[in-house]
């Protein structure tokens, strides 16, 4: 392939001193006063004559140099949609002794024009991506599984039950290369904002408990090639010719819940004790005693409730008997059965 366009600027003057827009930082404004003596005039001479109509302009190449570059297909996923559009791009490294200035770039392959790009200012030794066309030979689809959350371990500190949970999000990219040649892909995945916030959280939920373990931060498998400050993950992979391949990301993170012991239900605690949840011996003993005492208390409350209901029933019966006695007369023969019931 080839690149045509852009421009260059020298970083040194003829004395080897660094200059920027004609100002020597060592002499500051004194350089401006002597600019007419130190300014360099560079003349380029073309081998062939160039004809240019009046009022027209043209970009003419004044030097030619092979630069390190790679042909890539760049796939960006920023949380919008599951069908992704790869972009053909060139990763260009400035191996010249010049700083390349911004400008338009024409891209050719095997002598044929294939697209335009814009090159930013590129310092000596720096690299950049130049997107120039849609890659229609690559189809990328994304699927995402529901988040899975499970309890890992439990401990008791300061009358609170601290439960650590691990959550997992699985994101899969299916890459269909319909080209007869393998493709080198760069896939960029933007972490969801809620996960990025979890990872950036500096506060430790165990901070007030000196003997408690720290909660691990966000972990991502496979690890990305790079990750910037905006939580943009970058992966590089090769898509085999005329076949499908996959990139499966597993993103895991942990969080901690706090529950005062007095608010817990014994059924919930019993489920913890009978599960594969990791519980230290001290906390397990406390929870077992809590279940035993709570269940005993529930039974006693049930008995008290039954006695209270029976007492209320007796009171209501006595009230009815008294009303009947008043109706038939306390000394009459008809009152005798009611008196026996009261006794």
């Amino acid at each position: 392939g080839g690149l045509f366009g852009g421009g260059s600027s020298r970083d040194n003057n003829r004395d080897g001193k660094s200059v920027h827009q004609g100002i020597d930082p060592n002499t500051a404004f004194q350089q401006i006063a002597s600019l007419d003596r130190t300014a360099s005039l560079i003349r380029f001479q073309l081998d062939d004559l160039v004809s240019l109509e009046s009022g027209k302009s043209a970009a003419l190449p004044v030097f030619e140099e092979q630069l390190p570059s790679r042909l890539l297909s760049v796939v960006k996923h920023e949380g919008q949609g599951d069908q992704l559009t790869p972009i053909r791009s060139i990763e260009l490294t400035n191996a010249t002794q010049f700083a390349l200035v911004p400008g338009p770039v024409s891209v050719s392959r095997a002598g044929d024009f294939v697209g335009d790009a814009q090159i930013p200012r590129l310092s000596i030794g720096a690299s950049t991506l130049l997107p120039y066309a849609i890659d229609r030979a690559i189809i990328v689809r994304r699927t995402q599984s529901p988040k899975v959350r499970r309890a890992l371990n439990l401990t008791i500190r300061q009358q609170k039950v601290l439960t650590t949970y691990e959550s997992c999000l699985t994101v899969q990219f299916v890459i269909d290369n319909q080209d007869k040649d393998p493709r080198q892909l760069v896939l960029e995945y933007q972490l969801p904002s809620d996960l990025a916030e979890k990872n950036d959280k500096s506060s430790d939920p165990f901070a007030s408990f000196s003997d408690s373990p720290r909660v691990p931060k966000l972990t991502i498998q496979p690890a990305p090639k790079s990750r910037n400050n905006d939580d943009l993950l970058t992966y590089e992979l090769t898509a085999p010719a005329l076949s499908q391949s996959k990139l499966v990301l597993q993103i895991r993170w942990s969080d901690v819940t706090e529950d005062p012991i007095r608010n817990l239900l014994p059924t919930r605690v019993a489920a913890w004790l009978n599960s594969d949840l990791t519980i230290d011996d001290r906390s397990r003993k406390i929870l077992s005693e809590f279940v035993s005492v709570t269940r005993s208390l529930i039974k006693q409350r049930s008995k008290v409730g039954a006695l209270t209901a029976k007492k209320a029933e007796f009171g209501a019966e006595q009230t009815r008997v008294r009303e009947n006695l008043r109706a038939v007369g306390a000394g009459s023969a008809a009152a005798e059965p009611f008196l026996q019931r009261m006794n």
Side-chain angles (χ1 to χ4, degrees), residues 72-75 85-89 131-135:
L72 302 171
S73 292
V74 179
V75 182
T85 303
I87 302 297
R88 289 292 263 174
S89 305
Y132 65 86
I134 294 176
D135 193 346

Side-chain angles (χ1 to χ4, degrees), residues 26-292:
N26 296 321
T27 56
F29 293 102
Q30 178 182 354
Q31 178 65 33
I32 295 180
S34 60
L35 184 62
D36 58 338
R37 295 194 303 270
T38 61
S40 298
L41 176 63
I42 301 176
R43 186 180 71 172
F44 295 100
Q45 182 172 342
L46 303 177
D47 293 335
D48 300 320
L49 295 178
V50 177
S51 298
L52 197 61
E53 297 180 10
S54 176
K56 301 293 183 178
S57 62
L60 303 177
V62 294
F63 77 96
E64 180 177 293
E65 185 172 341
Q66 186 70 34
L67 299 182
S69 62
R70 289 195 302 161
L71 188 59
L72 302 171
S73 292
V74 179
V75 182
K76 294 187 177 184
H77 176 262
E78 298 176 347
Q80 301 295 327
D82 296 328
Q83 189 81 19
L84 310 180
T85 303
I87 302 297
R88 289 292 263 174
S89 305
I90 292 177
E91 182 185 61
L92 181 68
T93 301
N94 182 9
T96 72
Q97 297 303 310
F98 301 90
L100 302 181
V101 299
V105 173
S106 297
V107 182
S108 65
R109 292 190 67 191
D112 297 327
F113 172 80
V114 293
D116 289 321
Q118 287 285 331
I119 186 172
R121 178 176 178 84
L122 204 57
S123 302
I124 298 174
S127 298
T128 188
L129 276 176
L130 303 178
Y132 65 86
I134 294 176
D135 193 346
R136 303 189 185 279
I138 300 287
I139 299 174
V140 181
R141 294 181 298 275
R142 184 204 70 133
T143 58
Q144 179 172 308
S145 303
K147 295 177 184 177
V148 178
R149 188 170 185 257
R150 66 185 183 94
L152 290 180
N153 56 68
L154 179 150
T155 188
I156 296 177
R157 299 290 185 272
Q158 299 179 3
Q159 301 301 312
K160 290 183 179 181
V161 176
L162 305 180
T163 309
T164 302
Y165 291 88
E166 181 188 65
S167 300
C168 180
L169 173 66
T170 301
V171 182
Q172 177 177 269
F173 296 92
V174 179
I175 303 158
D176 186 4
N177 182 9
Q178 300 178 353
D179 195 3
K180 62 181 180 180
D181 296 320
R183 292 293 184 88
Q184 193 70 19
L185 262 69
V186 172
L187 191 148
E188 297 179 349
Y189 174 72
Q190 180 67 57
L191 271 182
S193 58
D194 57 333
L195 297 189
E197 290 173 1
K198 288 179 184 297
N199 191 53
D200 291 340
K201 194 178 291 184
S202 58
S203 59
D204 185 352
F206 286 130
S208 58
F209 311 115
S210 59
D211 56 343
S212 298
R214 292 187 62 85
V215 177
K217 287 189 176 183
L218 206 68
T219 59
I220 304 168
Q221 292 295 333
K225 179 182 179 182
S226 64
R227 177 177 179 176
N228 65 12
N229 293 333
D230 296 325
D231 288 298
L232 183 68
L233 313 181
T234 301
Y235 292 87
E236 281 198 19
L237 59 154
T238 300
L242 300 174
S243 62
Q244 282 191 352
S245 56
K246 294 181 180 180
L247 173 65
V248 181
L249 307 184
Q250 285 199 328
I251 305 169
R252 300 179 184 274
W253 67 97
S254 298
D255 62 281
V256 176
T257 61
E258 296 184 6
D259 298 293
I261 293 181
R262 63 178 181 273
N263 295 342
L264 296 178
L265 296 175
T267 52
R268 183 183 180 189
V269 176
W272 286 341
L273 293 173
N274 295 325
S275 69
D276 58 356
L277 190 64
T278 302
I279 306 174
D280 60 88
D281 293 340
R282 172 182 170 277
S283 299
R284 184 175 289 275
K285 181 180 179 180
I286 293 174
L287 292 177
S288 298
E289 292 176 352
F290 171 83
V291 172
S292 176

Side-chain angles (χ1 to χ4, degrees), residues 300-310:
Q300 296 301 322
R301 286 176 177 173
S302 178
K303 290 181 179 180
V304 171
L307 291 174
T308 302
K310 197 168 187 64

Side-chain angles (χ1 to χ4, degrees), residues 10-13 17-25 31 121:
R10 285 304 297 251
D11 291 334
N12 299 316
N13 64 12
K17 296 181 179 179
S18 175
V19 297
H20 179 65
Q21 294 183 351
I23 300 179
D24 186 338
Q31 178 65 33
R121 178 176 178 84

